[in-house]
Each structure stands twice: as structure tokens, then as C-alpha cells.
Amino acid sequence: MNEHERVRAEWQSVAAGWRRWEPLLQSFTWPIALRMAAAAGIAAGQRVLDVGCGIGDPTLQVAVLVGPHGRVVGIDVAEDMITTARDRAAALGLTHVEFRAADVMQERFPPESFDAVLGRWSLNYVADVAGALGALRAALVPGGRIALASWAPPEVNPWITVPMDAIARVRPLPPVDPTAPGGFHLSEDGALVRALVQAGFQAVGQERVQLSQFARDPAEYWAMMGDVEGPLAPLLAKLDGGERARVARDVADGIARFRVGDVYRIPAQAQVAWGRV
């Protein structure tokens, strides 16, 4: 199985979980959708491409912003994610949205066919970031804008490092490499901006965005994480019953400090960067 197939399989395996936990995922990620839309200057009537759209975020939010005279295309490697995205668009009556199962490294976009491009937590799974950005730049009209998101470094993302550390205590895991494709690829401050500059984008900028993962209790949090986090799925599949129980206990202990009243608000940070053709 090559890298593309591995990434696709990981996210296909959790597509049903994303459908099941849609409300909590929305509460977690909405700040990114708003900030990316603002950074890309999304406006009525525009044509927008969303790379790695998952179940339709921020594709659907952007579709509302561009209105019925605009057009939004969302692509993702996981077909089952696309199925949910289409269902959500239909429920909202957003007929100017199109979803395709496609890979940014293989799809051929017509030149100068989009006013804006978005990529939320998608290019961090790409080995050839320069190649991907080059193709996306060619798809933008002169003056077109791009907004990208990756995760910030592990130390400010306990929402995922708490379970990963718990798993590592029962099964050794390789160290995080921010220069290699994966969850924390392009997580260092300035990494996205450097990639944009190297691809020829101008008027670039980058900032961190604070997020908060909501859960009613540790059991809900752990059930959701096991259902929706692609890289966790193959790791959990290797654990026996006793190991899974130990990991669940460690996760509950690890998030205890994030209890606020009768709920949990587990912090996270993302990087958002932008540029112009």
C-alpha cells in the first residue's frame, strides 16, 4: 500500500464516525472555517475550490457566503466522506456545490478557473507540497487568493496528544516528524508561509487560531476520538481489550484538567496561512 492509499484508507475507515459525530465536530472546527473564509476574501458570486473537504467543511459555509450565483467545488480522497457532504448540501438546498472524490496530486484543474482555493488540514498529508501548491496556483485567476490550515505543534494540541501519549504507553509509536506527511506536517510557525512563498504566492501571512474540543464526559470524548480520528484507527485496531481499557483510563485522567463545570473543553490550535497570486 503506497502513501496515497494509506491516507485514503485511514479516512475512509472513519467516515461513518464523522457522519455520526457531525454536531461535535462542527462545534470544534467552526473558527477555522470563518478565519479561512476571511483570509481568502470569500465574496458573493465567487468560484471556490476546497481541497480535502471531508464531510463538507468549510465547503458548505463558503457556499452560503458565495450565494447562488457563485460555485463551490469540494474534493476529498475518501468517497464515503463525500457521500455525507452531498447529503448535507442537499439538506441545505445548496445546489451550487459540487463534491468529487479526487486527489489534489492527480486532479487536473482548468487554468484560472477559481477565484479562491481553501485547504483545511489536507496539504499536511501531501509529500509534494510544492507540486500541490503549484497546481492550485495555476487554477487561480490573477489576483486569486488561497487559504490553508494545518495543526500547530503537538504541545498546544492536547486534544490529540493525550490519546496518542496514552497509546504510546502500551505500544511504542514513532516520534512526530513535522517535515513528513502526517497530522503535524507543516505545524511549525512559518512553515505554511514558506511553502506559499516558494510556490510563488504574494501578500502572504500566517497566524494561529485557537480551538476548543467539547465533550460532556471522558467517555464521550474517547468514543468520538476513536470514531473520527483517522491516524488513531489503525493504532487502536492493534490493541487487545486490556490495552484499550488502560488507554481509556489514561485518556480520562489526561483530560481531567480541562473540565469546566459539568463539561470538558479541551484546547487545540491550528495554523492558518494565506496568499495571493
Side-chain angles (χ1 to χ4, degrees):
M1 182 183 296
N2 61 33
E3 184 65 15
H4 166 76
E5 292 169 340
R6 183 191 65 77
V7 170
R8 177 185 171 278
E10 280 187 359
W11 293 106
Q12 274 283 97
S13 72
V14 295
W18 277 70
R19 189 181 185 96
R20 183 161 47 250
W21 294 99
E22 179 187 326
L24 286 188
L25 292 169
Q26 293 292 297
S27 76
F28 184 30
T29 63
W30 69 263
I32 286 290
L34 289 182
R35 191 66 194 99
M36 292 180 72
I42 301 300
Q46 286 187 330
R47 300 160 299 168
V48 182
L49 172 66
D50 184 16
V51 178
C53 63
I55 63 170
D57 301 294
T59 331
L60 299 177
Q61 293 91 335
V62 167
V64 173
L65 292 175
V66 303
H69 298 296
R71 177 171 175 261
V72 184
V73 176
I75 66 170
D76 199 277
V77 296
E79 293 92 340
D80 291 348
M81 293 277 196
I82 291 293
T83 297
T84 297
R86 288 173 178 150
D87 289 346
R88 294 175 68 202
L92 293 170
L94 298 174
T95 57
H96 56 292
V97 182
E98 176 189 354
F99 290 102
R100 304 177 193 161
D103 183 346
V104 66
M105 297 306 297
Q106 298 174 1
E107 189 78 355
R108 295 295 175 262
F109 306 106
E112 301 183 7
S113 54
F114 295 100
D115 301 295
V117 168
L118 306 178
R120 188 192 73 167
W121 300 315
S122 51
L123 289 192
N124 47 299
Y125 289 99
V126 172
D128 183 9
V129 174
L133 287 176
L136 295 176
R137 187 178 186 278
L140 282 165
V141 299
R145 299 190 63 84
I146 188 170
L148 306 173
S150 64
W151 291 108
E155 58 267 21
V156 293
N157 278 294
W159 73 277
I160 184 63
T161 57
V162 165
M164 294 298 286
D165 289 347
I167 292 172
R169 284 190 281 273
V170 299
R171 294 287 181 98
L173 298 178
V176 171
D177 181 359
T179 67
F184 288 108
H185 187 203
L186 303 170
S187 63
E188 297 175 332
D189 291 336
L192 285 173
V193 152
R194 288 192 295 272
L196 287 171
V197 170
Q198 290 167 4
F201 287 93
Q202 305 174 14
V204 299
Q206 181 167 340
E207 66 186 27
R208 292 194 187 188
V209 176
Q210 182 74 32
L211 305 174
S212 176
Q213 174 67 73
F214 174 89
R216 295 174 184 85
D217 52 48
E220 180 177 65
Y221 165 74
W222 184 229
M224 179 178 63
M225 291 299 291
D227 275 354
V228 306
E229 188 53 33
L232 279 183
L235 301 176
L236 293 174
K238 298 176 183 178
L239 304 182
D240 61 35
E243 290 171 327
R244 289 179 70 95
R246 178 183 169 186
V247 168
R249 288 193 300 270
D250 284 354
V251 167
D253 292 342
I255 67 169
R257 66 189 186 276
F258 303 123
R259 183 169 180 172
V260 181
D262 59 349
V263 300
Y264 290 76
R265 300 188 185 278
I266 306 156
Q269 285 187 26
Q271 304 275 15
V272 173
W274 56 89
R276 174 174 51 79
V277 174

